[in-house]
Amino acid sequence: MSASPAPTRRRPKDRKQQILTQARELFVERGYRNVSVGMITERVGITPAGLYRHFANKTELLEAVVRESFGDLPIPAVRFTDLDTALALACDMAMERPYLSTLWSREARHLPPELRTEIRTALRETASAYERLLLAARPGLSRAQADLLAWALQSVMTATAIPGLRVSDPGLPALLRAVAQTVAHTPLRNEVVASRAPRTGIAPVSTRERLLTSAMRLFAERGYHETSMAELGAAAEVTGPNLYSYFDNKAAVLHAVSDRAAQALWIDLGHTLAAHDTAQEALPELASGYVRIAAAWSPASVRDSGEPDIIALALDQQREYLAEWIALLRAARPDLDATTARTLPLIAFALVDQLSRTPHLATGATFAGDLRDITLAVLATPAPSVT
């Protein structure tokens, strides 16, 4: 009696989608540079040959992941004519796709130029749509104010990607909508706190200090991976072996500037706490200090660096610093539960960091005061009612 033939194995019809989903999750978890084809195929349960049937290489796979993730995002003013409906739609989308901000901010440099241009164009169109809706809802706003609030709303919609924020929290969707409404209706006073016009400034005498300040600026402007040691040396007027007598490598520079930024925040917080008797008095000054320090340093430089030890240290430092904001906020607002009191400062930090990296906004004469007021408005967001 002959043996029955082995059943024919068929590839699942959704295999390509499985690859895209697992690749996206890995890119978000570990970063494109730290993900291999082998990691992706192991997650999917296929061989590398199975992946290459659908994608020629990892770069092509990243492009497909980004196109799928961003391809059908609606522009608010195209579908809706009122601000409230547009914000509700955007918040729902942010909850459904918490990975968008990470994919864009961290992996854009690996995308082909035409795709980067497409996404930047879509982001600008979305900001313009928010601006039109804001001007319709708040006729007293200037175009510059509406522009700032529009980009602030875009930043709010990236909150679900913030490290340390719990997307699984059942109260987050309502809180995100409340923050968006608060930001959209923040009064702006056009107060000139300090000039943000670019200045050459006075270079420090210390060579190490010049390297640190140059690194803070270049990492924030270009990103960690896009800045070479040679460029750091040139900016600080240090060349050849002299450069490496101060720092062994670029990771050591990043560690030093990250620690410097953390200490600057702690020193500012210490001065603020010592100068005030109540949380209500301290929070505005603390917000001003954070805005001022963010002008020179972006935490994204560490988060997107792919340096695990430095990232872990920075997150530990952030947790301690965040705890001080939470304590002040709960003292000023006893109505807040622990989760809301933790989430609001995290959203405020992310908003300040992102807007400070938006050149056409950050050079405005009233930017620092406006951003402080938006930060305080986020912290004052009414807690959503529990139904």
Side-chain angles (χ1 to χ4, degrees):
M1 183 175 178
S2 60
S4 301
T8 302
R9 295 185 62 185
R10 298 183 183 278
R11 290 192 293 271
K13 292 182 179 180
D14 66 343
R15 177 55 52 79
K16 185 175 183 179
Q17 185 59 51
Q18 290 177 15
I19 295 170
L20 285 170
T21 300
Q22 296 303 324
R24 185 191 68 225
E25 291 182 1
L26 280 167
F27 292 153
V28 170
E29 288 172 16
R30 305 188 183 193
Y32 173 79
R33 285 175 176 266
N34 303 315
V35 174
S36 67
V37 168
M39 291 177 185
I40 299 169
T41 56
E42 183 179 356
R43 281 268 186 108
V44 181
I46 59 174
T47 65
L51 184 144
Y52 293 133
R53 288 190 190 98
H54 299 281
F55 303 100
N57 50 49
K58 193 176 74 166
T59 303
E60 183 179 298
L61 177 54
L62 174 66
E63 181 178 349
V65 165
V66 172
R67 285 191 181 281
E68 181 196 49
S69 299
F70 285 87
D72 62 345
L73 289 181
I75 297 173
V78 172
R79 291 186 57 184
F80 299 106
T81 56
D82 69 282
L83 182 62
D84 291 347
T85 306
L87 293 180
L89 168 73
C91 288
D92 289 345
M93 185 67 73
M95 292 301 305
E96 291 170 9
R97 304 184 191 183
Y99 45 80
L100 290 180
S101 175
T102 302
L103 279 177
W104 172 243
S105 64
R106 190 171 64 197
E107 312 303 356
R109 61 184 174 272
H110 302 300
L111 299 172
E114 63 274 13
L115 181 53
R116 288 201 301 271
T117 299
E118 286 178 29
I119 296 177
R120 287 195 181 102
T121 299
L123 293 175
R124 284 193 292 268
E125 287 176 351
T126 302
S128 296
Y130 280 133
E131 182 182 335
R132 290 193 295 272
L133 293 172
L134 284 161
L135 289 170
R138 299 179 59 186
L141 289 175
S142 68
R143 294 198 69 87
Q145 290 173 327
D147 184 39
L148 173 60
L149 291 176
W151 284 95
L153 288 172
Q154 294 234 89
S155 295
V156 170
M157 300 312 164
T158 68
T160 49
I162 297 171
L165 191 144
R166 302 182 183 96
V167 180
S168 59
D169 172 25
L172 183 58
L175 182 60
L176 192 64
R177 287 192 289 271
V179 170
Q181 285 287 343
T182 296
V183 168
H185 293 90
T186 300
L188 299 178
R189 296 178 289 178
N190 268 342
E191 178 185 356
V192 179
V193 174
S195 173
R196 302 277 297 198
R199 293 177 181 272
T200 303
I202 301 172
V205 174
S206 163
T207 301
R208 186 178 188 277
E209 189 65 21
R210 289 203 307 275
L211 282 168
L212 284 177
T213 54
S214 297
M216 292 180 81
R217 175 176 57 81
L218 291 175
F219 288 163
E221 290 176 357
R222 303 181 186 179
Y224 174 73
H225 290 291
E226 287 70 30
T227 305
S228 68
M229 282 292 281
E231 288 170 326
L232 290 176
E237 299 181 347
V238 184
T239 58
N242 287 337
L243 176 60
Y244 291 93
S245 68
Y246 293 95
F247 298 100
D248 291 339
N249 49 46
K250 192 167 65 169
V253 180
L254 180 66
H255 182 279
V257 295
S258 176
D259 189 62
R260 167 65 60 85
Q263 295 308 315
L265 290 171
W266 278 107
I267 290 170
D268 180 76
L269 185 142
H271 285 317
T272 299
L273 295 181
H276 299 285
D277 296 320
T278 68
Q280 288 87 346
E281 295 173 346
L283 280 171
E285 185 173 331
L286 194 58
S288 292
Y290 193 93
V291 169
R292 183 177 63 255
I293 294 166
W297 169 244
S298 171
S301 300
V302 173
R303 289 196 303 269
D304 299 343
S305 69
E307 303 286 353
D309 293 341
I310 302 175
I311 293 171
L313 177 61
L315 289 175
D316 285 342
Q317 291 171 325
Q318 185 198 51
R319 277 190 286 269
E320 289 189 57
Y321 178 72
L322 173 64
E324 299 293 337
W325 280 70
I326 294 171
L328 282 172
L329 187 55
R330 297 200 77 181
R333 298 189 57 190
D335 60 302
L336 295 182
D337 60 78
T339 299
T340 302
R342 183 176 185 277
T343 302
L344 291 178
L346 282 172
I347 295 176
F349 292 168
L351 190 150
V352 170
D353 297 337
Q354 290 184 35
L355 295 185
S356 295
R357 304 274 77 76
T358 308
H360 83 278
L361 299 175
T363 54
T366 65
F367 176 77
D370 290 340
L371 190 51
R372 175 206 57 207
D373 291 345
I374 294 171
T375 301
L376 292 173
V378 170
L379 298 179
T381 298
S385 58
V386 180
T387 56

